[in-house]
Amino acid sequence: MKVLLLGSGGREHAIAWKIAQSSQLDKLFIAPGNAGTRNHGTNVAIQPTDFEAIKTFVLENEILTVVVGPEDPLVKGIYDFFQADESIKHVNVIGPSKEAAKLEGSKDFAKKFMQRHNIPTAKYATFTKDTLEEGYAFLTSMKPPYVLKADGLAAGKGVVIPDTLEEAKAELKSMLADAKFGDASSRVVIEQFLKGIELSVFVITDGESYKILPEAKDYKRIGEGDTGLNTGGMGAVSPVVFADKTFMDKIENQIIIPTIKGLKAENLVYKGFVFFGLISVKGEPYVIEYNCRMGDPETEVVMPRIKSDILDLFEGIATGTLSERDVQFDERAATTVMMVAGGYPEEYQKGKTIHGLNAVKDSIVFHAGTSSDGPVVLSSGGRVLAVTSYGKTIEGALNRSYTSIEGIEFEGANFRKDIGKDLINYTK
Ligand code: AMP
Ligand code: GLY
C-alpha cells in the first residue's frame, strides 16, 4: 500500500511511526511532515488544505490511501473533494465527509445531533447577533461558571469559561457582536457547566461497525496543577485508571453506539477516527465535544498502545470490513510529556537547535514542531517534542519520559512536571 499522511504535528509523527511498522506498507509520504516524520517516510512540501496539489501528488505517485491528521482539511471537505473527482474517486480517504465533520466544525450541529440521538451532554442554547438579548437572559438564568463556545473552528481557543455573569455577558457580546473569533463566533453555544474529570475516547469506524482504541487523558493547561492558559496539550497518559469496565460500557452503550447509529441513520458518511471528548460526572459519562480526527497529544500514547497493524484497520475502513478486523492493545501503560518553547502558549521563539535526541534510549521522541537543516533539528512551533515512554504502570512510564527529557536540550525548553500525577493518586 502506498500511503499519503497529511499533517505536521506530534499526532502525525505518531501515526507515521505506526504506519511504518505495517507489513502492508510499500511507501509512506507525509505532507508536509516534520523533522521526525522523515525517519519513517518521505516528507513532501504540500499543505494539508491544498487539495489540488494533493490530487496531483496522489495521481503522480499512485497513492491509494490518504490519512488525514488534522481537522482543517476534513471540515473543508477533502473527503468530498476526492469523491467528486472521477480520477481520484478510488482513493481511500481516512476521515469523515464534510457534512459529518461538522460534528467538530460546528458545536451547534454537534449539540443538535446529540439531542436527536439522546446522547448525554450538557444542556445548552445557541445564540446569534440577532438574539444577543435572549443570550443575556439565558446567561442570567444559569449558575456560574458560564460555558461559552464559538460555534466554528477557532484553533482550540473558542471555549471561554467566565466565573461572573458580567464577564459572561461581555464575552458573549465580544463573540457575537464584535466577532472575537471571526466567523467562527457568529453563533455561540452557551451550555451548562459540568464538574468532573475528563478523558478522551477514540474509535475508528467504517460507517457500519466501530472499534474502540485505547483511551487517554490529556493535560491542556500550561501550568502544574492544571493552572494557567490553555495549550494544545502538555502531555497525555493511557490507560486512564477511572475508565474501568463499568464506565467504558456506559460510554459504549450511551455514547459510541448511538453516535455510529446516528451517523448512519442520517447518511453522514464517516470512515475514520471519531474522538469523543468526555467528562465523567460522578461516574456518568457526558460528551463535551466531538472531534473528527485523533487527539494531540493523545495519539502519542494511543498509537504506541495499539498492537494491531494500522494499515489492516485502514483497509477494513476502506472496504467496509472493519468488523472482521481485530484491535489488540498493548497491555503496557504509555505516557507522553510535551517539551514546549519558552513563553508558549503566548509569544515564543522558534529556530532553536535541539540537542540530545540521538542519545534517547528509553523513550520514543515524537516531533511536534520541528524542522531540519541537514542533520540539525530545530524547533519550529510552540509544542516541540512529545517524549513518549512505556511502563508497567503510568508511574513507571512517566519516570522514563522525565529521565529522557533530562538529556534533551533546547534554549528555553519548558515542560510540566506533574503529567499523570492526578491519576497515580486517583481515588474515586
Ligand atoms: P472543547 O473545545 O469543547 O473541548 O472545550 C475546551 C475545554 O473546556 C474542555 O476540555 C473542558 O475542559 C472545558 N469545557 C467545555 N465544555 C464544558 C462544560 N460544559 N462544562 C465544563 N467544562 C467544559
Ligand atoms: N488533545 C485535544 C485535542 O486534540 O483536541
Side-chain angles (χ1 to χ4, degrees):
M1 209 186 285
K2 281 190 182 171
V3 181
L4 173 64
L5 169 65
L6 303 180
S8 61
R11 167 182 48 213
E12 286 74 25
H13 187 178
I15 296 174
W17 170 86
K18 185 69 188 154
I19 290 175
Q21 293 166 29
S22 169
S23 58
Q24 300 183 28
L25 182 69
D26 294 318
K27 197 151 176 39
L28 173 63
F29 297 95
I30 310 99
N34 61 37
T37 60
R38 66 184 172 160
N39 297 323
H40 309 294
T42 306
N43 288 346
V44 288
I46 296 176
Q47 287 307 312
T49 49
D50 188 348
F51 296 172
E52 286 297 339
I54 291 168
K55 172 184 166 181
T56 306
F57 187 83
V58 159
L59 287 171
E60 279 174 2
N61 293 279
E62 297 171 333
I63 305 284
L64 284 182
T65 304
V66 176
V67 183
V68 188
E71 62 275 17
D72 237 24
L74 293 165
V75 172
K76 293 198 166 107
I78 191 165
Y79 182 93
D80 309 68
F81 175 85
F82 273 74
Q83 282 298 302
D85 188 325
E86 281 306 322
S87 67
I88 46 173
K89 206 176 171 174
H90 62 284
V91 176
N92 301 312
V93 176
I94 304 297
S97 64
K98 184 173 184 176
E99 195 59 22
K102 279 194 186 162
L103 282 185
E104 173 162 4
S106 165
K107 303 270 186 205
D108 179 57
F109 178 91
K111 291 300 260 190
K112 289 198 175 110
F113 176 87
M114 287 185 266
Q115 236 173 13
R116 283 196 295 278
H117 300 287
N118 265 320
I119 295 166
T121 187
K123 291 191 187 57
Y124 83 104
T126 302
F127 301 93
T128 64
K129 197 161 66 184
D130 299 331
T131 54
L132 187 57
E133 290 300 325
E134 285 94 322
Y136 290 155
F138 186 70
L139 283 171
T140 308
S141 75
M142 300 190 53
K143 283 196 244 116
Y146 305 88
V147 181
L148 285 79
K149 300 183 171 183
D151 179 57
L153 292 186
K157 297 196 171 70
V159 177
V160 192
I161 309 188
D163 284 320
T164 68
L165 184 59
E166 286 64 39
E167 286 171 287
K169 285 183 174 175
E171 191 60 49
L172 184 66
K173 178 171 175 296
S174 117
M175 282 171 138
L176 288 175
D178 312 332
K180 178 175 177 186
F181 298 108
D183 210 29
S185 66
S186 62
R187 279 191 293 183
V188 172
V189 168
I190 300 178
E191 62 180 46
Q192 167 202 14
F193 180 83
L194 297 175
K195 196 166 165 38
I197 185 159
E198 290 178 59
L199 82 160
S200 308
V201 169
F202 305 94
V203 308
I204 52 169
T205 180
D206 58 5
E208 293 284 336
S209 65
Y210 63 87
K211 298 282 176 187
I212 301 178
L213 305 178
E215 78 285 355
K217 182 173 192 293
D218 82 339
Y219 294 79
K220 291 200 174 97
R221 303 292 196 92
I222 186 70
E224 273 142 39
D226 291 329
T227 55
L229 292 174
N230 253 320
T231 71
M234 295 295 290
V237 304
S238 177
V240 177
V241 60
F242 60 87
D244 55 15
K245 169 127 178 43
T246 311
F247 188 58
M248 287 306 287
D249 283 348
K250 285 183 189 168
I251 292 173
E252 184 164 16
N253 292 320
Q254 297 169 22
I255 294 170
I256 297 175
I257 293 174
T259 298
I260 303 296
K261 278 194 177 158
L263 288 168
K264 191 177 169 211
E266 296 188 24
N267 290 319
L268 294 167
V269 177
Y270 208 120
K271 294 168 185 287
F273 296 101
V274 193
F275 169 162
F276 299 86
L278 306 177
I279 188 163
S280 166
V281 181
K282 299 198 178 95
E284 297 303 321
Y286 290 80
V287 178
I288 291 274
E289 63 166 352
Y290 284 111
N291 293 310
C292 60
R293 49 159 176 97
M294 286 298 292
D296 196 347
E298 289 97 325
T299 307
E300 291 92 305
V301 293
V302 172
M303 287 299 146
R305 291 200 63 227
I306 299 174
K307 276 212 275 193
S308 317
D309 186 325
I310 193 98
L311 289 188
D312 184 56
L313 299 176
F314 289 162
E315 193 182 78
I317 292 179
T319 55
T321 56
L322 188 62
S323 62
E324 297 162 23
R325 321 276 160 151
D326 196 24
V327 180
Q328 298 270 349
F329 291 13
D330 192 313
E331 290 306 318
R332 288 174 293 175
T335 61
T336 198
V337 178
M338 198 59 86
M339 295 182 76
V340 304
Y344 173 83
E346 296 184 280
E347 211 169 293
Y348 59 85
Q349 291 185 339
K350 300 180 188 177
K352 303 291 180 196
T353 303
I354 303 170
H355 302 279
L357 290 174
N358 293 335
V360 175
K361 292 280 175 289
D362 287 337
S363 302
I364 312 162
V365 182
F366 292 122
H367 293 215
T370 66
S371 61
S372 53
D373 182 5
V376 179
V377 177
L378 302 166
S379 69
S380 67
R383 294 191 299 163
V384 178
L385 301 168
V387 182
T388 294
S389 313
Y390 288 107
K392 264 199 198 126
T393 60
I394 295 278
E395 203 167 9
L398 283 167
N399 285 340
R400 288 203 175 89
S401 286
Y402 284 118
T403 305
S404 296
I405 283 178
E406 282 173 24
I408 304 172
E409 256 184 290
F410 57 90
E411 193 190 318
N414 179 31
F415 60 92
R416 261 179 73 167
K417 294 167 193 71
D418 67 339
I419 301 300
K421 278 233 171 95
D422 56 334
L423 295 187
I424 292 170
N425 305 319
Y426 186 81
T427 46
K428 267 198 186 166

